[in-house]
């Protein structure tokens, strides 16, 4: 069978010889699009969940068509059976919120330690040269490393709590929001670190190291900040 013919094959054709009309106003497409708009979470997890919902709709439509209904009526009944997107969204948002919390925790756990290492490298390099880090900058370094280290530990704990332990222990309701703000704090720390490192590159002897460390800290900030922002959005949405 050709590709074009394969694309024209519909649920109805498989079930009873009817072909599904390919129109922009298809109720299933509109339903899935509306549901996708109200859900928040990791792109892949959300796409997989929406695809599963679409498969369920397709199966329901196929069952109605086998019962003798036309496609339009079958699609209308399938959408009615599933319920409105706003009513259905909280049921699936919980899964996406946990997935986003794990995504944010993983991003912090993987990037924050490297940012700490970058700070320590610059710290070591500064003590090997004639120029020394000012006391204020040294204190700031200790503070930022502390914040980043705490965020990394909490992120690792989150991955554990939402992993295998979740089979026996309920996930704390406030955990996603805690992860979101922990990730936000870590991203702010890395943003400040990037700014300070770039500034130090002007005065330290080993300026290429400071520039490289600053660039990595900035990239880490972008990754964690984006994930934490989505996690905050997820944590505010109603779930069931």
């Amino acid at each position: 069978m050709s590709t074009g013919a394969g694309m024209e094959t519909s649920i109805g054709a498989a079930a009873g010889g009817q072909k599904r009309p390919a129109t922009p106003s298809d109720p299933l497409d509109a339903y899935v699009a509306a549901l996708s708009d109200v859900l928040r979470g990791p792109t892949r997890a959300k796409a997989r969940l929406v695809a599963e919902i679409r498969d369920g709709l397709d199966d329901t439509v196929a069952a109605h068509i086998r019962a003798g209904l036309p496609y339009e009526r079958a699609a209308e009944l399938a959408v009615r059976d599933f319920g409105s997107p706003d009513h259905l969204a909280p049921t699936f948002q919980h899964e996406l919120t946990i997935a986003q919390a794990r995504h944010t925790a993983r991003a912090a756990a993987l990037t924050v330690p490297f940012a700490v290492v970058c700070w320590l490298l610059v710290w070591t390099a500064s003590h090997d040269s004639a120029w020394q880090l000012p006391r204020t900058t040294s204190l700031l370094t200790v503070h930022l490393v502390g914040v980043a280290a705490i965020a990394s530990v909490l992120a690792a704990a989150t991955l554990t709590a939402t992993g295998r332990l979740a089979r026996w222990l309920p996930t704390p309701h406030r955990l996603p929001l805690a992860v979101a703000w922990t990730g936000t704090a870590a991203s702010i720390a890395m943003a400040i670190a990037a700014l300070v490192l770039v500034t130090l590159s002007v005065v330290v002897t080993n300026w290429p190291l400071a520039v490289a460390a600053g660039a990595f800290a900035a990239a880490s900030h972008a990754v964690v900040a984006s994930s934490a922002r989505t996690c905050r959005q997820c944590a505010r949405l109603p779930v069931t």
Side-chain angles (χ1 to χ4, degrees):
M1 180 182 294
S2 65
T3 303
M7 293 178 62
E8 292 180 358
T9 302
S10 65
I11 302 170
Q18 285 186 319
K19 290 185 178 180
R20 173 181 165 184
T23 61
S25 59
D26 182 83
L28 300 189
D29 291 338
Y31 183 90
V32 170
L35 183 61
S36 181
D37 286 342
V38 296
L39 292 175
R40 294 291 183 273
T43 302
R44 290 184 180 180
K46 177 179 172 180
R48 182 172 61 252
L49 183 60
V50 171
E52 291 175 357
I53 295 171
R54 179 55 187 260
D55 289 342
L57 285 168
D58 287 341
D59 291 341
T60 302
V61 170
H64 286 313
I65 290 177
R66 286 194 297 270
L69 294 178
Y71 174 81
E72 292 77 7
R73 180 57 177 165
E76 179 184 342
L77 290 176
V79 168
R80 189 182 69 182
D81 291 343
F82 269 64
S84 68
D86 290 337
H87 177 75
L88 190 63
T91 303
F92 297 103
Q93 185 58 55
H94 176 71
E95 178 182 344
L96 289 177
T97 298
I98 296 300
Q100 183 60 50
R102 288 181 57 83
H103 184 276
T104 301
R106 189 179 298 109
L110 292 177
T111 59
V112 169
F114 285 105
V116 172
V117 170
C118 289
W119 264 108
L120 294 177
L121 286 175
V122 174
W123 181 291
T124 302
S126 69
H127 282 282
D128 289 339
S129 64
W131 187 87
Q132 300 292 319
L133 286 172
R135 178 175 176 78
T136 303
T137 306
S138 299
L139 293 176
L140 178 61
T141 300
V142 173
H143 175 71
L144 293 177
V145 169
V147 171
I150 292 173
S152 183
V153 171
L154 290 178
T158 299
L159 291 175
T160 303
T162 56
R164 293 184 177 181
L165 286 179
R167 299 178 182 178
W168 301 282
L169 299 176
T171 302
H173 178 68
R174 296 287 184 179
L175 181 61
L177 188 60
V179 172
W181 285 111
T182 299
T184 300
S187 69
I188 293 173
M190 286 185 284
I192 297 174
L195 179 61
V196 174
L197 284 167
V198 171
T199 302
L200 289 178
S201 67
V202 179
V203 292
V204 296
T205 303
N206 195 354
W207 63 267
L209 177 61
V211 170
F216 185 85
S220 298
H221 159 74
V223 171
V224 178
S226 176
S227 185
R229 181 171 57 253
T230 303
C231 195
R232 291 197 304 271
Q233 294 173 350
C234 291
R236 296 190 186 103
L237 295 175
V239 296
T240 57

